[in-house]
Amino acid sequence: MSQQHEIPNAVTPPAGPLFGLDIDDLTALMLRLGQKRYRAKQIHEALYRQRVESVEQIAVFPVALRQGMTDAGFRIGQPAIAQTARSVDGTERYLMRMADGETVETVWMPDGDGGEEPDVADEPQFETPGSSYRRATICVSSQVGCAVNCQFCLTAKLGIRRNLTAGEIVGQVAAVLNRHAVAIGKNRINLVFMGMGEPFLNYAEFIKAVRLLVTGLGIPESRMTVSTSGIEPAIRAFALEPIRPRLALSLNASNDTIREGIMPITRKWNIRKLLDAVGTIPLRTREWITFEYVLLGGINDLPEHAREVLDLLAGIRSKVNLIVWNPGPGIAYTQPSAEAVARFQKLLVHGGIPTYIRRPRGRDIYAACGQLKRTIDPAPAPPLVALSEASRSAAPAL
Ligand code: SAH
Ligand code: SF4
């Protein structure tokens, strides 16, 4: 019998996580392992459609190949759910552990969060047998911590530790889908890149993750929304992407003075620059730009601010999501009054902009916007090493 399925030692590349490799990466890998090209398609299907959790589960591969890859140290390498917190409203927050011990948070919101999905009315409303949800939103992290330093955000307190790889971004989604036994196509899943981190400061891995989510997992790009604090060059690159989610811009203020105070990054790219960049995005049918606006009591929630927002957004096909600021330890802002929130919404709606108040989800478990931070620390904190080194040195298969 031919030895085709065994991995010749001489050509064994350093084994690493398979999750996150795209079809080109997998083709190169299979060829290096002395396999035929079609094996790449098979493993792609197993990783992203079937969402296998071990090399052993790649049923279409011959036993010898699975064994050979396992012996060579290959593993799927998805992040593992290390802790779960469940809110009274059904929201679940997961602490996801990466191969190098770093952790991020991912949130599952059954029934969506009321602010992200544009096309509910056209969707066939299906029932999932044996399950209490029909649709859900997963909020994904893009970095460990964040460098942007928005003054109202708890994640900012962590600083930045490192970028996540595409595999770690997609892996959060796969781990949560597996936990809830979700069948893409049957269950309606929305993704929001609104967890820890600034996706546009990790642009290459973020966009690679989007492609894997679309072509691998089968989640339509129209069901994904990426939120950015406003990284101008990345918004311009995003506008040129053939496959891209919808965009949400965290506006959060009605003029540069206020925005500089709460989002210091405004000094680098002011509101005008950001809106000009946003204007280059070719909007698809029934697509608009979402502007997020965190209301901070007495700072950006007055009628004059609402009027300034109307002026800013004139001419942009837009929607506004108002987010009542979620408090966090050590952050000295106050929440806006209910009257201020209602008044702000009314002024924008009267000005012709669809404006929604985002329901806070999972506030009791610190899963709401801006409340994500690692609740336990990896001990001891691992040194910051190159990603490939870090993931290679991780021992256990997840
Ligand atoms: N870094 C990206 C995405 C993650 S933050 C961004 O800033 O857009 C997701 C949203 O949560 C942003 O709109 C942000 O302005 C908002 N946010 C941050 N901290 C918050 C808090 N404490 N309360 C309410 N919203 C908050
Ligand atoms: Fe980073 Fe977004 Fe928090 Fe700002 S709001 S610090 S960009 S995660």
Side-chain angles (χ1 to χ4, degrees):
M1 200 186 120
S2 120
Q3 293 298 297
Q4 190 209 339
H5 298 137
E6 285 181 12
I7 299 172
N9 279 338
V11 294
T12 302
L18 296 165
F19 211 85
L21 301 184
D22 63 18
I23 191 68
D24 294 341
D25 302 330
L26 290 169
T27 304
L29 175 65
M30 286 298 130
L31 294 177
R32 283 211 307 277
L33 294 178
Q35 302 298 310
K36 294 263 166 49
R37 273 178 182 275
Y38 69 89
R39 294 281 181 220
K41 263 186 114 167
Q42 289 180 331
I43 191 172
H44 192 270
E45 171 92 14
L47 286 172
Y48 304 117
R49 283 291 150 149
Q50 295 160 20
R51 306 192 306 255
V52 295
E53 289 176 325
S54 70
V55 173
E56 260 315 293
Q57 290 174 355
I58 309 175
V60 68
F61 273 13
V63 174
L65 178 54
R66 282 183 259 165
Q67 194 57 53
M69 288 184 70
T70 305
D71 292 348
F74 285 99
R75 61 191 193 292
I76 304 298
Q78 265 183 20
I81 297 180
Q83 261 186 20
T84 303
R86 199 182 154 82
S87 162
V88 287
D89 67 18
T91 299
E92 289 187 354
R93 176 169 55 81
Y94 312 106
L95 187 77
M96 294 275 181
R97 192 182 305 287
M98 310 294 139
D100 66 352
E102 289 286 9
T103 53
V104 294
E105 296 192 328
T106 310
V107 182
W108 162 264
M109 292 171 279
D111 298 319
D113 73 353
E116 78 294 327
E117 76 296 316
D119 48 2
V120 179
D122 319 340
E123 285 291 319
Q125 293 296 304
F126 53 82
E127 293 289 345
T128 310
S131 171
S132 59
Y133 71 87
R134 287 182 287 182
R135 62 195 176 95
T137 296
I138 302 173
C139 178
V140 182
S141 292
S142 55
Q143 297 182 305
V144 185
C146 186
V148 179
N149 197 22
C150 304
Q151 301 295 297
F152 49 80
C153 174
L154 206 52
T155 306
K157 301 264 175 209
L158 294 172
I160 178 75
R161 288 179 63 87
R162 70 165 170 86
N163 282 333
L164 294 183
T165 63
E168 291 167 334
I169 297 172
V170 180
Q172 294 169 61
V173 179
V176 175
L177 293 178
N178 284 352
R179 175 184 165 86
H180 292 274
V182 171
I184 299 291
K186 276 209 207 136
N187 301 133
R188 216 181 79 114
I189 296 296
N190 294 302
L191 296 185
V192 291
F193 297 90
M194 297 187 185
M196 284 169 58
E198 170 47 60
F200 280 9
L201 288 180
N202 183 18
Y203 189 78
E205 294 298 309
F206 154 72
I207 216 73
K208 184 174 180 190
V210 167
R211 291 191 195 125
L212 286 173
L213 287 162
V214 173
T215 62
L217 272 74
I219 302 175
E221 62 199 288
S222 60
R223 301 238 171 100
M224 302 178 194
T225 302
V226 60
S227 175
T228 180
S229 57
I231 312 299
E232 192 236 19
I235 296 173
R236 289 185 181 273
F238 181 78
L240 303 174
E241 295 291 347
I243 298 181
R244 60 162 181 83
R246 296 161 176 270
L247 183 73
L249 180 73
S250 296
L251 181 62
N252 294 343
S254 58
N255 60 54
D256 284 335
T257 311
I258 298 177
R259 200 168 189 273
E260 278 173 17
I262 60 176
M263 298 178 73
I265 196 170
T266 310
R267 280 187 229 119
K268 188 146 193 188
W269 297 293
N270 65 22
I271 295 177
R272 189 69 268 147
K273 277 195 181 146
L274 296 179
L275 295 182
D276 285 350
V278 162
T280 66
I281 298 173
L283 294 180
R284 299 166 285 217
T285 322
R286 293 189 309 138
E287 186 182 3
W288 47 80
I289 304 291
T290 298
F291 291 90
E292 293 162 293
Y293 196 99
V294 178
L295 287 163
L296 302 164
I299 292 191
N300 63 359
D301 63 343
L302 303 177
E304 69 210 58
H305 302 136
R307 285 185 209 105
E308 280 182 323
V309 170
L310 283 174
D311 287 344
L312 287 175
L313 303 190
I316 304 175
R317 214 197 298 166
S318 51
K319 161 186 148 179
V320 169
N321 276 342
L322 298 176
I323 311 173
V324 173
W325 176 66
N326 292 307
I331 309 186
Y333 288 107
T334 54
Q335 292 193 304
S337 66
E339 297 74 49
V341 176
R343 189 176 56 197
F344 207 92
Q345 182 188 29
K346 207 167 154 191
L347 282 167
L348 292 189
V349 169
H350 282 176
I353 300 196
T355 304
Y356 304 88
I357 300 170
R358 281 264 292 269
R359 264 188 308 153
R361 297 295 307 264
R363 221 187 238 174
D364 55 333
I365 55 162
Y366 270 76
C369 290
Q371 292 190 312
L372 298 186
K373 67 173 190 68
R374 293 165 309 165
T375 31
I376 60 170
D377 275 317
L384 285 174
V385 291
L387 270 187
S388 51
E389 286 303 319
S391 40
R392 228 177 273 150
S393 63
L398 297 176

